[in-house]
C-alpha cells in the first residue's frame, strides 16, 4: 500500500562558499531521515543490484537504490525540493552579482529550474575501505546524505596512532578529530587568499549538495561500525541561458 505523503518539518540548511562554487549543507527533518534510513537499510539487506561497477570506491557494499523508493511517501519530493532550492539559490546569487538582469528575473522571462533525478546508491563502508578522489560524470548536481556520526564513539582507533609529531594542535590526534572517514571536496590548490579544499566530518542526519564536477573522496578509517551514506545524482536545467549549471 502506498505511503501517504504528509508535510514535513522545515528544512534547516545553509549555503557555504569555502571556495568558488557554492555548497548547500543541511539537516534532514526527522521524518525524512527515518524514511530514508529505512530505505537504505532495506537496500543493504536485499542487495538487489550492485552499483559498484559504476563507482570509484574501494568499497564492497555499494548498492543501487531503485527509483520506486522515491515514488511514494515524502522522500522523492524532499530530494527534488532541496536540489531545486539549492540551484535557485545559485541563480539568486548570480542575480546579486549582476549576471542576470532585472528584466530576466522579474520581467518578460521567469527563471525556473527543473531537477531531474538520475541514479542513486548506498555506500556502506567498513574499516579500511576508502573512496578515491573522483567526480560524477553525466550529471551536474550531486548529493550526499549521512546516516552515522564520524566521532570518537564511531572510530575505534586513528590511522597511524604512533605518529604524533605535527604542526597542528596537541588534540590533532584524538579519535574523532583526525581526517579518518571524512569527506573531502576539492576545487583548486591552496593559494594566497584562498583555500582549495573543504573537509566535512559526517554527522547523522545531515546532507551536502554541490556541483558534480567537483572532485571529492572519502578517507579510510578503523571501526567495527559501518559508515553509511546515500548519493543521488541530478541533472538540473533552467530556462535561462546564463545559468546552465554545467548541464551535460
Amino acid at each position: 500500500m502506498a505511503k501517504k505523503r504528509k508535510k514535513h518539518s522545515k528544512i534547516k540548511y545553509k549555503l557555504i562558499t569555502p571556495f568558488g562554487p557554492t555548497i548547500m549543507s543541511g539537516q534532514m527533518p526527522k521524518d525524512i531521515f527515518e524514511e530514508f534510513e529505512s530505505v537504505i537499510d532495506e537496500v543493504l539487506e536485499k542487495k538487489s543490484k550492485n552499483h559498484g561497477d559504476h563507482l570509484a570506491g574501494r568499497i564492497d557494499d555499494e548498492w543501487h537504490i531503485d527509483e520506486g523508493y522515491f515514488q511514494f511517501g515524502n522522500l522523492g519530493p524532499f530530494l527534488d525540493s532541496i536540489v531545486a532550492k539549492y540551484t535557485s539559490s545559485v541563480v539568486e546569487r548570480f542575480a546579486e552579482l549582476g549576471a542576470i538582469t532585472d528584466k530576466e528575473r522579474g520581467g518578460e522571462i521567469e527563471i525556473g529550474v527543473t531537477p531531474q533525478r538520475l541514479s542513486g546508491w548506498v555506500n556502506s563502508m567498513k574499516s579500511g575501505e576508502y573512496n578515491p578522489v573522483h567526480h560524477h560524470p553525466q550529471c551536474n548536481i550531486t548529493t550526499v546524505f549521512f546516516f552515522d556520526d564520524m566521532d570518537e564513539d564511531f572510530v575505534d582507533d586513528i590511522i597511524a596512532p604512533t605518529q604524533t609529531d605535527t604542526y597542528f594542535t596537541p588534540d590533532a590526534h584524538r579519535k574523532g578529530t583526525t581526517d579518518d572517514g571524512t569527506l573531502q571536496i576539492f576545487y583548486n590548490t591552496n593559494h594566497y587568499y584562498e583555500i582549495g579544499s573543504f573537509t566535512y566530518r559526517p554527522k547523522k542526519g545531515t546532507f551536502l549538495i554541490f556541483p558534480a564536477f567537483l572532485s571529492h573522496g572519502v578517507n579510510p578509517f578503523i571501526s567495527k561500525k559501518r559508515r553509511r551514506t546515500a548519493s543521488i545524482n541530478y541533472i538540473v536545467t533552467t530556462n535561462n541561458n546564463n545559468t546552465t549549471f554545467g548541464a551535460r
Side-chain angles (χ1 to χ4, degrees):
M1 185 175 181
K3 295 180 181 178
K4 184 178 180 180
R5 289 178 178 173
K6 61 181 180 180
K7 291 184 178 179
H8 51 71
S9 307
K10 187 176 181 180
I11 302 167
K12 296 179 181 179
Y13 72 90
K14 59 183 178 180
L15 299 173
I16 57 177
T17 51
F19 33 53
T22 299
I23 296 173
M24 176 182 277
S25 173
Q27 179 82 35
M28 287 180 271
K30 185 175 182 292
D31 59 316
I32 292 295
F33 174 80
E34 291 174 350
E35 182 179 344
F36 208 163
E37 186 174 40
S38 68
V39 166
I40 70 164
D41 286 345
E42 185 171 317
V43 169
L44 289 171
E45 181 181 359
K46 290 185 174 180
K47 302 182 185 297
S48 299
K49 185 177 180 181
N50 186 6
H51 204 68
D53 56 347
H54 298 282
L55 304 175
R58 303 304 306 156
I59 305 168
D60 282 336
D61 282 320
E62 297 179 306
W63 301 96
H64 174 74
I65 304 176
D66 188 84
E67 176 64 20
Y69 285 109
F70 304 128
Q71 296 303 310
F72 304 103
N74 295 314
L75 186 54
F78 165 77
L79 295 171
D80 293 347
S81 68
I82 58 172
V83 170
K85 182 62 178 177
Y86 166 72
T87 49
S88 62
S89 297
V90 172
V91 170
E92 289 296 321
R93 289 194 170 192
F94 286 166
E96 291 172 2
L97 295 172
I100 301 173
T101 66
D102 288 338
K103 177 181 177 182
E104 289 171 323
R105 292 188 67 204
E108 296 178 4
I109 301 177
E110 181 71 23
I111 296 178
V113 297
T114 303
Q116 178 187 356
R117 191 168 51 247
L118 302 179
S119 59
W121 64 95
V122 177
N123 284 345
S124 179
M125 296 178 66
K126 62 179 181 291
S127 185
E129 295 183 330
Y130 66 97
N131 214 335
V133 176
H134 63 284
H135 75 285
H136 294 185
Q138 285 83 52
C139 60
N140 52 21
I141 302 295
T142 195
T143 65
V144 187
F145 300 86
F146 302 93
F147 297 90
D148 302 282
D149 293 315
M150 187 59 60
D151 56 16
E152 60 183 2
D153 292 328
F154 184 97
V155 176
D156 292 336
D157 198 359
I158 60 174
I159 293 177
T162 61
Q163 178 56 272
T164 58
D165 294 332
T166 177
Y167 60 85
F168 295 112
T169 65
D171 290 335
H173 291 284
R174 288 189 300 107
K175 292 193 301 179
T177 64
T178 66
D179 287 340
D180 298 10
T182 59
L183 170 68
Q184 293 187 300
I185 305 176
F186 303 94
Y187 177 62
N188 204 342
T189 57
N190 288 347
H191 214 296
Y192 296 112
Y193 308 111
E194 68 175 351
I195 58 174
S197 63
F198 170 66
T199 300
Y200 186 80
R201 187 177 308 284
K203 295 180 181 179
K204 184 177 180 178
T206 61
F207 65 86
L208 296 177
I209 304 176
F210 53 93
F213 73 85
L214 289 176
S215 294
H216 55 283
V218 177
N219 292 313
F221 58 88
I222 299 172
S223 178
K224 298 181 184 68
K225 300 177 182 179
R226 292 280 184 143
R227 180 190 185 279
R228 300 169 303 154
T229 60
S231 290
I232 316 291
N233 285 339
Y234 274 84
I235 287 181
V236 180
T237 56
T238 175
N239 63 346
N240 178 264
N241 291 331
N242 292 325
T243 52
T244 63
F245 303 109
R248 297 171 186 271

